[in-house]
């Protein structure tokens, strides 16, 4: 997902999916601001891993061990029922800044050597980009601005483990994949009950899979000995392809206070409004 050299390679051929997506986000931001200089953008990022049934903050520089004391809490929002972690967020202004952040954070992921890779990831990772766009708006004598926000989840799923080789920790990889597969199947079949609560990964993605544009990229191996794994992966992806979801849009209008000293209050109001 990040690519060679921890995502630092500037070659478009060598770049992973995440650097290419980030490049495109900043390209569109620059293009929008060229067309309308009054537009303001803010991009924040969080990066977590799901390992052994717990969620850890990969942006936490003190993350070394994987004991329970380092695990993040999952909080359910009362307003819309979505679940978020207590992971830290960092503001990023350039592609290079985000790539540097990801390169350092990715070194903290749980990895293990196998027959395919020397540093195979043994955890699911979730990079979330929070993008906010603001533009001025006047209603009568009141000056204000409108705000739109969106979230972009990029999930790097670890490959499944065979039951013969799976350790107690690595078996949680299969559990997470199975839970996500059940959610995808339920959404594809438009079931009344979607089992989001079966794993931390699906809890974090609840509210996004059925209210978004979703794309799944599947890595398969052409070797004959991997045919069973390839078939399983393609069947897994089929449910994602069958999901029919529509991304909903919400906007907020806030009035700018006439007293310049109230600027900090406006910032707090905006923050609280967007996190209701």
């Amino acid at each position: 997902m990040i690519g060679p050299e921890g995502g630092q390679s500037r070659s478009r051929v060598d770049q992973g999916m995440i650097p290419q997506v980030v490049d495109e986000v900043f390209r569109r931001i620059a293009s929008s601001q060229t067309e309308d200089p009054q537009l303001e953008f803010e991009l924040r990022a969080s990066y977590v891993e799901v390992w052994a049934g717990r969620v850890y903050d990969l942006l936490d520089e003190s993350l070394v061990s994987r004991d329970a004391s380092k695990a993040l809490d999952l909080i359910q929002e009362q307003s819309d029922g979505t679940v978020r972690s207590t992971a830290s967020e960092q503001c990023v202004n350039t592609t290079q800044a985000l790539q540097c952040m990801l390169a350092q954070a990715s070194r903290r992921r749980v990895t293990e050597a196998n027959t395919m890779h020397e540093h195979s990831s043994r955890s699911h990772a979730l990079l979330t980009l929070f993008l906010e766009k603001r533009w001025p708006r006047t209603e009568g004598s009141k000056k204000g601005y409108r705000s739109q926000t969106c979230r972009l989840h990029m999930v790097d799923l670890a490959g499944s483990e065979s039951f013969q080789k799976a350790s107690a920790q690595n078996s949680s990889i299969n559990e997470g994949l199975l839970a996500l597969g059940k959610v995808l199947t339920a959404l594809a079949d438009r079931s009344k009950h979607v089992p989001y609560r079966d794993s931390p990964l699906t809890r974090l993605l609840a509210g996004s899979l059925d209210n978004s544009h979703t794309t799944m990229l599947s890595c398969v191996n052409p070797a004959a000995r991997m045919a069973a794994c390839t078939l399983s992966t393609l069947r897994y992806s089929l449910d994602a392809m069958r999901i029919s979801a529509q991304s909903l849009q919400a906007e907020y209008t806030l009035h700018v206070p006439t007293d310049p000293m109230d600027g900090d209050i406006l910032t707090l109001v905006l923050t609280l409004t967007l996190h209701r």
Side-chain angles (χ1 to χ4, degrees):
M1 289 288 284
I2 295 180
E5 302 177 25
Q8 295 297 306
S9 174
R10 298 307 301 157
S11 170
R12 293 289 295 181
V13 177
D14 294 335
Q15 274 190 326
M17 287 302 304
I18 290 178
Q20 292 187 52
V21 169
V22 172
D23 271 342
E24 181 64 17
V25 169
F26 279 109
R27 187 194 68 79
R28 295 194 183 193
I29 288 177
S31 176
S32 298
Q33 289 181 320
T34 299
E35 296 177 0
D36 187 352
Q38 291 185 311
L39 289 179
E40 298 179 4
F41 291 88
E42 181 180 82
L43 185 66
R44 306 188 311 279
S46 70
Y47 194 28
V48 302
E49 75 170 355
V50 180
W51 181 81
R54 299 191 182 103
V55 181
Y56 297 92
D57 187 357
L58 291 173
L59 298 184
D60 182 2
E61 296 181 357
S62 66
L63 181 64
V64 179
S65 63
R66 292 299 187 274
D67 55 73
S69 64
K70 284 290 185 179
L72 300 175
D73 294 325
L74 298 183
I75 302 173
Q76 185 170 14
E77 300 285 4
Q78 294 183 353
S79 57
D80 56 9
T82 59
V83 175
R84 63 177 178 86
S85 71
T86 53
S88 59
E89 297 176 6
Q90 291 187 14
C91 289
V92 288
N93 299 315
T94 64
T95 303
Q96 291 75 16
L98 183 57
Q99 286 180 304
C100 182
M101 179 197 76
L102 289 176
Q104 295 176 2
S106 294
R107 297 190 185 102
R108 304 185 188 107
R109 283 189 69 178
V110 177
T111 61
E112 184 177 291
N114 60 22
T115 57
M116 301 287 293
H117 304 285
E118 183 180 357
H119 301 287
S120 177
S121 58
R122 296 296 83 199
S123 65
H124 306 305
L126 175 61
L127 171 67
T128 303
L129 301 181
F130 304 90
L131 179 62
E132 179 187 354
K133 178 178 75 172
R134 297 188 294 265
W135 65 98
R137 178 179 180 180
T138 302
E139 295 180 354
S141 60
K142 296 182 179 180
K143 294 183 178 180
Y145 58 83
R146 304 193 75 178
S147 173
Q148 281 184 334
T149 62
C150 70
R151 288 178 299 178
L152 176 60
H153 292 305
M154 286 175 277
V155 186
D156 184 11
L157 298 174
S160 61
E161 286 283 345
S162 65
F163 289 105
Q164 292 81 5
K165 299 180 181 180
S167 63
Q169 290 81 11
N170 287 345
S171 64
S172 65
I173 294 175
N174 293 348
E175 293 173 2
L177 292 172
L178 179 61
L180 180 58
K182 289 181 178 179
V183 167
L184 295 178
T185 300
L187 291 174
D189 294 339
R190 298 187 179 184
S191 173
K192 293 183 179 180
H193 172 67
V194 181
Y196 287 117
R197 298 182 63 86
D198 286 0
S199 79
L201 178 63
T202 51
R203 289 188 67 192
L204 289 171
L205 293 176
S208 296
L209 287 173
D210 60 345
N211 179 27
S212 65
H213 300 291
T214 303
T215 301
M216 176 176 285
L217 301 179
S218 301
C219 298
V220 296
N221 193 315
R225 62 186 177 85
M226 301 297 294
C229 183
T230 296
L231 181 60
S232 174
T233 300
L234 294 177
R235 285 173 174 169
Y236 193 93
S237 305
L238 183 62
D239 280 334
M241 186 181 69
R242 292 195 300 121
I243 296 175
S244 177
Q246 183 177 3
S247 180
L248 303 179
Q249 178 175 295
E251 297 182 6
Y252 296 96
T253 300
L254 296 178
H255 298 295
V256 178
T258 56
D259 186 349
M261 295 185 65
D262 290 338
D264 290 340
I265 297 177
L266 173 64
T267 301
L268 292 174
V269 170
L270 177 61
T271 301
L272 293 172
T273 302
L274 295 177
H275 285 81
R276 283 190 304 187

